[in-house]
C-alpha cells in the first residue's frame, strides 16, 4: 500500500465510524444499501442533531426572548448558545454579527434589500461570477431593477476557475459590491476568496461570500477572510432545514435598516413610530425556528468535534479516488477540474441525458443530483443542459465511490 492508498484506507475507516452516527445511512433503496451522494443538495443529519430538536420539543418547548418563565428561559439560553457556537465556528467577532435566517437564499436576499437598495443608483455596478447559484444572481437582479445598477460578471476558464485578471479589470469607480460563491455547487471549485476580498477592499468595495457549499467542507474564518457578509444554510452543515445564517460586520449591520417588521425586532412601538432592537434581533422579526437553531448548534458541535481540516482531507482523498474511477469510463467528461476543489464531481456522458444517468444510478441505490443545479448561466458556459453531480460528505467511503462507478458503468452498458 503506498501512502496515498493508506491515507484513503484510514480515511474510509474513520468515515465508517462516522457513518454510524447517521441513522438514515442504514436505509435500503430499491433493495440495495443507500449510497447517498447528494450532499451538495442537503446533508444527512447525525442522531445528535435529530435528538436535540426532539429534546427541545419534548422537554423545553417555549418561545424565546419573551417569557420570564423557566421554560422560556431554557429555550432562550439554548437558542443563544447555538448563536455562540456559530460565531465560534466562523470566528466572528461577536454573536451579534450572526443573524439567523431561513436559509442561504434568505440570508443573501437581506443584503441587496437592506444594504444595496438605499445606496445603489443608476450606473452603479455589482460584480458576480459566472458560477453563481441562482440564489446569488436573482436577488441582485431584483436590486438592479429597483435601483438601475447593473451586473458585471467574472468569467471562468475551461477548468471552472475564476479568471482573476478579468476580475481585477472589472473593478472600477462604479463598483459598489462584489458577491461571489466560496465554493461552486456545480463544479466544486474553491474560489480564491481572500484575494477577491483583499482586492475589493483595496478599492473600498464590500464583499458578500455565498458560503453554502463551503461551510461543511473547508474551514471558514470570517475575520481572516475579512469578508463583509457571509451566508450559509444549516441543512448543508448536517443541521436541520429551515435555518440559515447571515454573518455581517457589526458596523455594516448597524447602519442597515431592518428587513422585516414584527415582534422581537423592536425596542418600542407606538402609532407615531417604532424604535428597533439591537443586533442581531433587529433582523430577526417574529418567532424564529427555535428547534432548528438548537439543532444547528449541535451540528456545529458535531463537525467541530471531528475538525473541518480532518473531514476536508477525507473528502479530498475520496474525490480524487472517485475521479480516477470515473475518468476511465469512455465518453464520460468531468465538468469542473479546478486545481482547488471540494468533493463535488459533475459529469456528462456522451449520448446520455443526465436524468437518465440519475435514474439508472437511483435504481442501483446511488442517490445523485442531475440537472442544472440552479446554475443555468454556468451550464450554458459549458454548453450542457445539465450534469450528473455526485457530492461527497464526511460519511462517504471508498465503497460509495466504487458503487458510483459501478452504476455509471451500467449506464454506459445500457446507453453506450
Ligand atoms: C452555492 C449555493 N448558494 C446558495 C444555495 C441556496 O441554498 P438554500 O436553498 O439552502 O437557500 C445553494 C443550494 O444548493 C448553493 O449551493
Amino acid at each position: 500500500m503506498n501512502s496515498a492508498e493508506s491515507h484513503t484506507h484510514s480515511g474510509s475507516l474513520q468515515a465508517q465510524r462516522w457513518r454510524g452516527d447517521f441513522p438514515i445511512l442504514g436505509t435500503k433503496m430499491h433493495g440495495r444499501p443507500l449510497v447517498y451522494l447528494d450532499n451538495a443538495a442537503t446533508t444527512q443529519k447525525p442522531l445528535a442533531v435529530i435528538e436535540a430538536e426532539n429534546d427541545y420539543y419534548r422537554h423545553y418547548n417555549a418561545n424565546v426572548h419573551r417569557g420570564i418563565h423557566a421554560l422560556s428561559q431554557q429555550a432562550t439560553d439554548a437558542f443563544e448558545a447555538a448563536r455562540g457556537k456559530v460565531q465560534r465556528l466562523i470566528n466572528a467577532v461577536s454573536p451579534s454579527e450572526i443573524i439567523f435566517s431561513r436559509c442561504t437564499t434568505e440570508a443573501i436576499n437581506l443584503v441587496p434589500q437592506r444594504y444595496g437598495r438605499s445606496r445603489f443608483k443608476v450606473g452603479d455596478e455589482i460584480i458576480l461570477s459566472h458560477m453563481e447559484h441562482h440564489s446569488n444572481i436573482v436577488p441582485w437582479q431584483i436590486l438592479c431593477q429597483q435601483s438601475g445598477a447593473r451586473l458585471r460578471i467574472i468569467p471562468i476558464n475551461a477548468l471552472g476557475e475564476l479568471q482573476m485578471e478579468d476580475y481585477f479589470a472589472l473593478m472600477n469607480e462604479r463598483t459598489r459590491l462584489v458577491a461571489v460563491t466560496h465554493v461552486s455547487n456545480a463544479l466544486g471549485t474553491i474560489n480564491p476568496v481572500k484575494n477577491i476580498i483583499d482586492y475589493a477592499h483595496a478599492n473600498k468595495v464590500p464583499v458578500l461570500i455565498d458560503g453554502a457549499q463551503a461551510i461543511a467542507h473547508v474551514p471558514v474564518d470570517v475575520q481572516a477572510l475579512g469578508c463583509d457578509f457571509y451566508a450559509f444554510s444549516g441543512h448543508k452543515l448536517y443541521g436541520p432545514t429551515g435555518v440559515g445564517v447571515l454573518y455581517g460586520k457589526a458596523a455594516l449591520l448597524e447602519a442597515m435598516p431592518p428587513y422585516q417588521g414584527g415582534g422581537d425586532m423592536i425596542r418600542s412601538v407606538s402609532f407615531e413610530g417604532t424604535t428597533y432592537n439591537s443586533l442581531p434581533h433587529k433582523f430577526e422579526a417574529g418567532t424564529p425556528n427555535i428547534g432548528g437553531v438548537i439543532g444547528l448548534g449541535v451540528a456545529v458541535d458535531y463537525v467541530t468535534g471531528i475538525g473541518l481540516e480532518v473531514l476536508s482531507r477525507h473528502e479530498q482523498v475520496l474525490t480524487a479516488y472517485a475521479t480516477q474511477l470515473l475518468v476511465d469510463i469512455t465518453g464520460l467528461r468531468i465538468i469542473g477540474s479546478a486545481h482547488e476543489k471540494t468533493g463535488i464531481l459533475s459529469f456528462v456522458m456522451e449520448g446520455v441525458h443526465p436524468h437518465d444517468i440519475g435514474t439508472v444510478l437511483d435504481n442501483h441505490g446511488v442517490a445523485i443530483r442531475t440537472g442544472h443545479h440552479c446554475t443555468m448561466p454556468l451550464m450554458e458556459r459549458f454548453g450542457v443542459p445539465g450534469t450528473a453531480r455526485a457530492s461527497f460528505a464526511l460519511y462517504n467511503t471508498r465503497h460509495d465511490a466504487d458503487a458510483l462507478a459501478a452504476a455509471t458503468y451500467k449506464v454506459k452498458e445500457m446507453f453506450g
Side-chain angles (χ1 to χ4, degrees):
M1 214 183 263
N2 63 31
S3 79
E5 278 169 348
S6 92
H7 192 145
T8 311
H9 186 63
S10 62
S12 276
L13 284 180
Q14 274 179 325
Q16 205 60 51
R17 278 201 304 277
W18 298 329
R19 286 181 80 76
D21 298 329
F22 292 80
I24 204 170
L25 296 178
T27 304
K28 287 224 170 347
M29 205 47 69
H30 306 302
R32 297 169 192 255
L34 170 67
V35 174
Y36 186 77
L37 296 176
D38 194 16
N39 295 289
T42 198
T43 53
Q44 299 301 346
K45 321 303 172 201
L47 188 59
V49 168
I50 298 167
E51 283 185 338
E53 261 203 281
N54 189 25
D55 192 47
Y56 161 69
Y57 287 116
R58 285 176 79 100
H59 300 299
Y60 61 102
N61 173 52
N63 214 327
V64 289
H65 306 136
R66 293 170 195 199
I68 56 159
H69 61 82
L71 273 190
S72 173
Q73 197 52 54
Q74 197 182 343
T76 303
D77 290 349
F79 183 86
E80 291 304 328
R83 198 189 304 276
K85 291 174 188 186
V86 172
Q87 175 210 347
R88 289 187 290 282
L89 173 74
I90 63 171
N91 194 29
V93 173
S94 150
S96 62
E97 296 178 319
I98 305 299
I99 312 292
F100 288 121
S101 65
R102 224 166 24 83
C103 53
T104 308
T105 304
E106 190 176 61
I108 293 176
N109 271 275
L110 193 156
V111 180
Q113 289 309 312
R114 286 303 176 260
Y115 177 82
R117 197 161 171 185
S118 59
R119 290 175 175 79
F120 295 7
K121 55 184 189 324
V122 177
D124 285 348
E125 295 181 358
I126 301 157
I127 298 181
L128 312 181
S129 88
H130 211 131
M131 65 174 84
E132 297 310 313
H133 188 282
H134 297 164
S135 294
N136 199 29
I137 300 175
V138 184
W140 302 107
Q141 284 175 329
I142 292 171
L143 174 63
C144 287
Q145 283 158 8
Q146 292 163 335
S147 65
R150 67 175 184 137
L151 302 182
R152 308 297 309 271
I153 307 300
I154 312 168
I156 58 175
N157 65 21
L159 298 177
E161 295 168 329
L162 293 183
Q163 303 204 307
M164 290 296 282
E165 290 307 320
D166 291 303
Y167 165 59
F168 299 145
L170 283 174
M171 185 75 68
N172 65 50
E173 65 289 346
R174 293 181 299 278
T175 310
R176 303 302 306 273
L177 187 131
V178 176
V180 290
T181 194
H182 195 163
V183 169
S184 158
N185 66 310
L187 307 172
T189 310
I190 304 175
N191 285 322
V193 285
K194 173 79 179 134
N195 290 354
I196 291 171
I197 294 161
D198 286 349
Y199 191 73
H201 285 177
N203 288 277
K204 302 196 168 27
V205 170
V207 181
L208 175 142
I209 302 294
D210 173 354
Q213 294 296 338
I215 195 70
H217 306 286
V218 295
V220 172
D221 180 334
V222 291
Q223 289 189 65
L225 288 175
C227 55
D228 301 279
F229 300 102
Y230 196 97
F232 62 91
S233 300
H235 71 94
K236 294 185 198 281
L237 177 62
Y238 308 99
T241 53
V243 54
V245 171
L246 176 70
Y247 156 81
K249 281 184 179 159
L252 288 171
L253 293 174
E254 292 284 7
M256 289 157 57
Y259 190 31
Q260 295 175 321
D264 232 26
M265 51 74 71
I266 54 92
R267 205 181 294 285
S268 76
V269 178
S270 73
F271 286 115
E272 285 67 48
T274 292
T275 56
Y276 303 126
N277 207 339
S278 53
L279 290 177
H281 311 293
K282 183 174 88 173
F283 291 106
E284 292 178 357
T287 300
N289 181 354
I290 303 165
V293 166
I294 292 168
L296 174 59
V298 173
V300 170
D301 290 341
Y302 184 81
V303 290
T304 50
I306 292 172
L308 261 305
E309 286 86 0
V310 173
L311 66 86
S312 162
R313 206 173 322 116
H314 163 67
E315 290 171 10
Q316 297 274 346
V317 173
L318 190 56
T319 309
Y321 174 74
T323 306
Q324 257 343 95
L325 296 178
L326 289 189
V327 293
D328 279 346
I329 302 175
T330 328
L332 185 147
R333 178 161 67 103
I334 305 269
I335 306 284
S337 311
H339 292 100
E340 299 279 332
K341 272 189 75 169
T342 59
I344 287 177
L345 255 181
S346 254
F347 59 94
V348 291
M349 292 175 81
E350 217 176 295
V352 193
H353 194 279
H355 289 333
D356 291 329
I357 304 175
T359 306
V360 175
L361 264 57
D362 180 51
N363 286 332
H364 286 78
V366 181
I368 60 158
R369 173 85 179 259
T370 62
H372 55 64
H373 316 296
C374 299
T375 56
M376 285 170 122
L378 180 65
M379 296 296 113
E380 204 182 331
R381 158 69 181 80
F382 280 96
V384 293
T387 71
R389 180 189 70 184
S391 49
F392 295 98
L394 61 88
Y395 39 66
N396 290 122
T397 61
R398 281 174 78 147
H399 168 268
D400 295 337
D402 291 337
L404 168 70
T408 310
Y409 272 106
K410 291 278 175 217
V411 176
K412 177 85 190 141
E413 270 171 43
M414 289 172 72
F415 293 89

